[in-house]
Amino acid sequence: MFARTPRLLLRPAWPEDAAALTQAIGHEAVARMAARVPYPYTIGDAEQWLARPCGPTEPQFLITALDRGGAPELIGGIAIIAGDTGHELGYWLTPAAWGRGYATEAGHAVIAMARHALPIARLGAWHFADNPASGRVLTKLGFRPTGHRMARASAGRDTLSPSLHYALDLEDERNPAMPLAA
């Protein structure tokens, strides 16, 4: 699957992406806010992730910015994964792309795909309590806090950290996602 938004191309990851992926994700600030991203992040980590299969209800995409002047630039990743609370939305952005609305834009596109092409009724999402920016993104996407809190592992922190759970009912039409670009 691919998705195109006004500023982004969401596309599958390919083995040739290993170097660009390592550069984009290989920041301590990214690893601290993600559950499964080790720090330091090596080319071997990228190659291993790129070789990992994903299931039919677990689309994963690299986020490529098309509006940064010049060639398209890999700035992040977004996926729906089978997690401990069912299907979960996860995403990350390289620090140079923070605060520009890219995560929200990519999230709208993936949620629209989930609503129209996947047999999923509900999505969950987590963010670490010390990352309120991620909570704001989830709220903009229509997710609501569930009140569930738990200590979750973070490979980048090498410890358990408090996190907050959110959920989105994909069958609730009051939470429309951005339509897919033609």
Side-chain angles (χ1 to χ4, degrees):
M1 277 193 270
F2 290 80
R4 175 82 161 77
T5 71
R7 301 179 300 160
L8 304 172
L9 173 65
L10 280 59
R11 64 170 180 82
W14 299 305
E16 303 82 34
D17 292 315
L21 175 59
T22 302
Q23 182 177 0
I25 201 170
H27 301 271
E28 184 177 13
V30 173
R32 286 185 52 72
M33 298 305 166
R36 299 180 184 129
V37 177
Y39 185 80
Y41 193 86
T42 67
I43 194 87
D45 294 320
E47 290 167 346
Q48 183 178 10
W49 184 81
L50 292 166
R52 191 187 78 187
C54 59
T57 60
E58 298 180 296
Q60 59 188 27
F61 304 95
L62 291 181
I63 303 170
T64 305
L66 304 173
D67 68 337
R68 296 178 60 92
E73 179 183 350
L74 192 157
I75 61 164
I78 189 165
I80 294 175
I81 56 174
D84 51 4
T85 61
H87 284 87
E88 298 177 352
L89 180 73
Y91 56 88
W92 62 270
L93 290 175
T94 196
W98 291 355
R100 298 178 186 210
Y102 291 133
T104 303
E105 191 171 325
H108 278 299
V110 170
I111 290 168
M113 278 188 254
R115 279 197 167 115
H116 300 300
L118 299 176
I120 300 172
R122 178 180 164 111
L123 274 178
W126 292 89
H127 75 83
F128 288 111
D130 61 354
N131 185 8
S134 194
R136 288 190 295 275
V137 168
L138 293 172
T139 300
K140 289 177 196 175
L141 293 173
F143 283 82
R144 299 291 172 247
T146 65
H148 188 83
R149 302 172 69 100
M150 72 182 283
R152 291 180 56 104
S154 167
R157 296 172 190 234
D158 199 28
T159 186
L160 294 176
S161 296
S163 62
L164 310 172
H165 185 248
Y166 288 66
L168 173 65
D169 179 357
L170 293 174
E171 296 173 348
D172 185 349
E173 294 302 322
R174 293 174 294 169
N175 287 321
M178 180 172 37
L180 296 172

